[in-house]
């Protein structure tokens, strides 16, 4: 789960990380009001979308020479003009794809006189299985470009979980940034606080770009991108509230509401399966029979009728789906519950594609009876191989 820059900064500030003052705004008037609460003389109006590269981005609705999604302002009237330009319009950046993202929120923040821009990220290094720091003097630019053109300018090291963050880690950050004296001390302290924020929130990444040195010698976070480990969100109810659903894929969002593991894929056959292993096997056997899965969908162990109905609707909302294969092993999950969900959903959505169902396990007989008595054109299958063959044949027949 990702959050907006202003939320990331509020979070980092709670851990003592220095950030400029600022306020979020949903309307032009709120943006102007926000600027009046700031000391000035320089304000920055920043589009809040879940993508970077906003400064160099372009608005679809504005002339090509119009400024991007990060703009300086000297007066409340300039703030008003920028806010009017941005709100409701579509910002296209290197990270949004060509469709861009609609700007629904702004962040009005203190303008800072920047002497230098650095890069600092904390993330999980999957190779070492540890929390790692990535530090570079080349801030404010696209880090992938820096990594490609001048890899020697990127310093990385990881933190042993047995010791946690140590003073030498802080010194390593300061040294990598070429800082001495008071700025080195600030860097050491800031690195420790960012590490605390990372662990304390079960983050998967905290990327600060730029980390700025101001003209008056202060280290400050000017842009922050924070993502959390979705699997840990159950223990961060407060963070879950930061979610902005307008930024997410509608089908995946709907799936997450019902606690379903759903990933859209490129094929034609929708799959509804319980258990990730069985889901993988189902996808494989569809391929073996010459077609491709349209999605991965694991309804989990304790699925209710509502959950199954939702899963069914999500699969059917994908226009690429030409047939559906339901493959359920009823262990914890009872086959009759699955069958009720399938029948309820199929009736509700007016099923227009072939449906093959393979049920096995607890209450399988009741399940099969519910399907057979439903009056729906459901093709029953006896095992996995049979099910895959049948759905491929049904889809080809319907085509
Ligand atoms: P993005 O990475 O999406 O383009 P940033 O927040 O990094 O957005 O802003 C782009 C650039 O704008 C920064 O590299 C910095 O030079 C400038 N900038 C951002 N915030 C401020 C600020 N509060 N004061 C002064 N300049 C800023
Ligand atoms: Mg940035």
């Amino acid at each position: 789960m990702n959050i907006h820059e202003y939320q990331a900064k509020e979070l980092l500030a709670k851990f003592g990380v220095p950030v400029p003052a600022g306020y979020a705004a949903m309307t032009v008037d709120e943006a102007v009001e926000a600027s009046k609460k700031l000391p000035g003389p320089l304000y920055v109006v920043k589009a809040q979308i879940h993508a970077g590269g906003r400064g160099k981005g372009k608005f679809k609705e504005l002339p090509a020479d119009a400024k991007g999604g990060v703009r300086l302002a000297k007066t409340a009237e300039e703030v008003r003009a920028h806010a009017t330009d941005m709100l409701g319009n579509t910002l296209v950046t290197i990270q949004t794809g060509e469709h861009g993202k609609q700007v629904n929120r702004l962040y009005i923040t203190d303008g800072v006189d920047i002497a230098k821009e650095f890069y600092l990220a904390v993330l999980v290094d999957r190779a070492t299985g540890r929390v790692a720091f990535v530090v570079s003097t080349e801030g404010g630019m696209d880090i992938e470009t820096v990594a490609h053109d001048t890899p020697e300018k990127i310093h990385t090291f990881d933190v042993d979980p047995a010791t946690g963050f140590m003073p030498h880690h802080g010194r390593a950050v300061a040294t990598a940034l070429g800082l001495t004296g008071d700025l080195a001390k600030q860097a050491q302290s800031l690195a420790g606080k960012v590490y605390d924020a990372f662990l304390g929130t079960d983050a998967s990444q905290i990327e600060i770009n730029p980390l700025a040195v101001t003209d008056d010698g202060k280290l400050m976070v000017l842009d922050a991108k924070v993502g959390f480990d979705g699997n840990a969100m159950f223990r961060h109810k407060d963070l879950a509230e930061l979610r902005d659903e307008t930024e997410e894929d509608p089908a995946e969002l709907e799936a997450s509401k019902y606690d379903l593991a759903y990933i859209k894929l490129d094929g034609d056959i929708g799959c509804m399966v319980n258990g990730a292993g069985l889901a993988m096997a189902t996808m494989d056997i569809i391929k073996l029979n010459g077609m491709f899965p349209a999605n991965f969908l694991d309804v989990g162990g304790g699925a209710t009728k509502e959950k199954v109905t939702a899963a069914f609707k999500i699969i059917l909302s994908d226009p690429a789906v030409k047939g559906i294969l339901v493959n359920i092993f009823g262990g914890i999950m009872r086959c009759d519950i699955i069958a009720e969900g399938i029948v309820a959903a199929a009736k509700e959505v007016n099923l227009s594609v072939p449906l093959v169902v393979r049920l096995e396990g607890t209450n399988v007989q009741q399940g099969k009876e519910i399907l057979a008595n439903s009056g729906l054109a459901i093709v029953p299958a006896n095992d996995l191989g049979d099910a895959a063959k049948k759905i491929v044949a049904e889809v080809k027949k319907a085509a």
Side-chain angles (χ1 to χ4, degrees):
M1 182 190 117
N2 295 321
I3 57 174
H4 288 293
E5 173 201 0
Y6 74 93
Q7 298 166 323
K9 283 179 170 168
E10 282 167 13
L11 195 70
L12 288 171
K14 280 191 193 145
F15 284 86
V17 178
V19 302
Y23 301 93
M26 308 285 277
T27 65
V28 174
D29 286 338
E30 277 176 28
V32 174
E33 283 312 305
S35 69
K36 288 181 182 159
K37 287 189 261 179
L38 294 168
L42 194 61
Y43 313 96
V44 190
V45 181
K46 308 183 77 172
Q48 299 295 291
I49 53 171
H50 286 185
R54 296 163 299 166
K56 295 200 178 87
K58 290 279 170 212
F59 283 95
K60 272 197 173 165
E61 296 84 356
L62 301 182
D65 59 349
K67 294 199 184 86
V70 177
R71 301 186 184 183
L72 299 177
K74 291 209 178 75
T75 63
E77 282 323 297
E78 281 179 30
V79 169
R80 178 178 296 280
H82 292 321
T84 308
D85 263 4
M86 292 190 199
L87 276 172
N89 281 340
T90 316
L91 183 57
V92 181
T93 80
I94 46 163
Q95 291 185 9
T96 59
E98 60 181 75
H99 295 300
K101 288 202 155 176
Q102 191 179 46
V103 178
N104 301 315
R105 303 182 192 196
L106 299 174
Y107 188 47
I108 316 301
T109 180
D110 253 343
V112 166
D113 293 317
I114 304 171
K116 264 186 204 148
E117 297 193 346
F118 298 136
Y119 177 96
L120 177 110
V122 180
L123 40 82
V124 179
D125 180 344
R126 291 179 194 279
T128 60
R130 290 178 173 187
V131 175
F133 276 80
V134 180
V135 190
S136 176
T137 51
E138 307 307 292
M141 19 202 288
D142 179 32
I143 197 67
E144 280 80 16
T145 311
V146 180
H148 182 265
D149 297 346
T150 48
E152 71 283 359
K153 290 192 171 157
I154 295 184
H155 300 263
T156 62
F157 62 86
D158 51 40
V159 177
D160 186 335
T163 66
F165 188 89
M166 303 284 279
H168 71 85
H169 294 122
R171 289 196 292 276
V173 169
T175 306
L177 295 178
L179 298 175
T180 54
D182 185 54
L183 275 170
K185 285 207 185 100
Q186 290 182 46
Q188 290 168 32
S189 149
L190 182 141
K193 287 167 178 163
V194 174
Y195 181 84
D196 290 344
F198 187 92
L199 284 199
T201 61
D202 285 307
S204 52
Q205 71 155 352
I206 297 181
E207 185 185 54
I208 297 168
N209 188 22
L211 171 65
V213 179
T214 64
D215 278 352
D216 54 357
K218 293 208 175 67
L219 212 52
M220 277 206 159
V221 171
L222 293 196
D223 184 18
K225 185 176 170 188
V226 174
F228 305 106
D229 181 348
N231 294 313
M233 280 300 100
F234 71 93
R235 56 185 186 193
H236 298 286
K237 299 278 185 270
D238 52 331
L239 296 178
E241 283 168 19
L242 301 180
R243 185 166 191 176
D244 179 358
E245 301 189 334
T246 64
E247 294 280 340
E248 296 175 29
D249 177 75
E252 289 183 16
L253 177 67
E254 187 64 15
S256 74
K257 279 189 196 152
Y258 292 90
D259 216 11
L260 303 163
Y262 171 86
I263 296 161
K264 162 122 181 69
L265 301 169
D266 292 331
D268 301 321
I269 300 195
C271 307
M272 178 158 83
V273 189
N274 66 335
L278 191 58
M280 299 298 276
T282 305
M283 288 157 59
D284 280 348
I285 205 154
I286 289 170
K287 285 190 192 172
L288 191 67
N289 283 274
M291 290 194 81
F292 288 89
N295 66 278
F296 170 98
L297 197 156
D298 176 7
V299 291
T304 58
K305 181 173 150 189
E306 287 69 34
K307 213 164 152 178
V308 173
T309 309
F312 219 91
K313 284 191 195 164
I314 288 164
I315 295 176
L316 285 169
S317 73
D318 178 356
V321 169
K322 298 200 177 78
I324 299 175
L325 173 52
V326 174
N327 182 20
I328 300 290
F329 179 77
I332 304 166
M333 164 85 98
R334 289 161 24 212
C335 293
D336 52 326
I337 301 272
I338 294 282
E340 278 171 14
I342 292 168
V343 171
K347 284 187 176 156
E348 226 176 295
V349 297
N350 205 358
L351 190 66
S352 56
V353 295
L355 170 63
V356 173
V357 179
R358 179 253 177 165
L359 294 177
E360 193 53 83
T362 310
N363 292 359
V364 64
Q365 226 30 61
Q366 288 101 304
K368 282 184 174 170
E369 277 161 27
I370 291 168
L371 295 178
N373 298 333
S374 67
L376 297 168
I378 297 171
V379 180
N382 295 322
D383 57 44
L384 190 43
D386 183 40
K389 276 195 196 80
K390 279 183 173 155
I391 188 63
V392 169
E394 289 290 326
V395 168
K396 286 190 175 154
K397 198 164 75 188

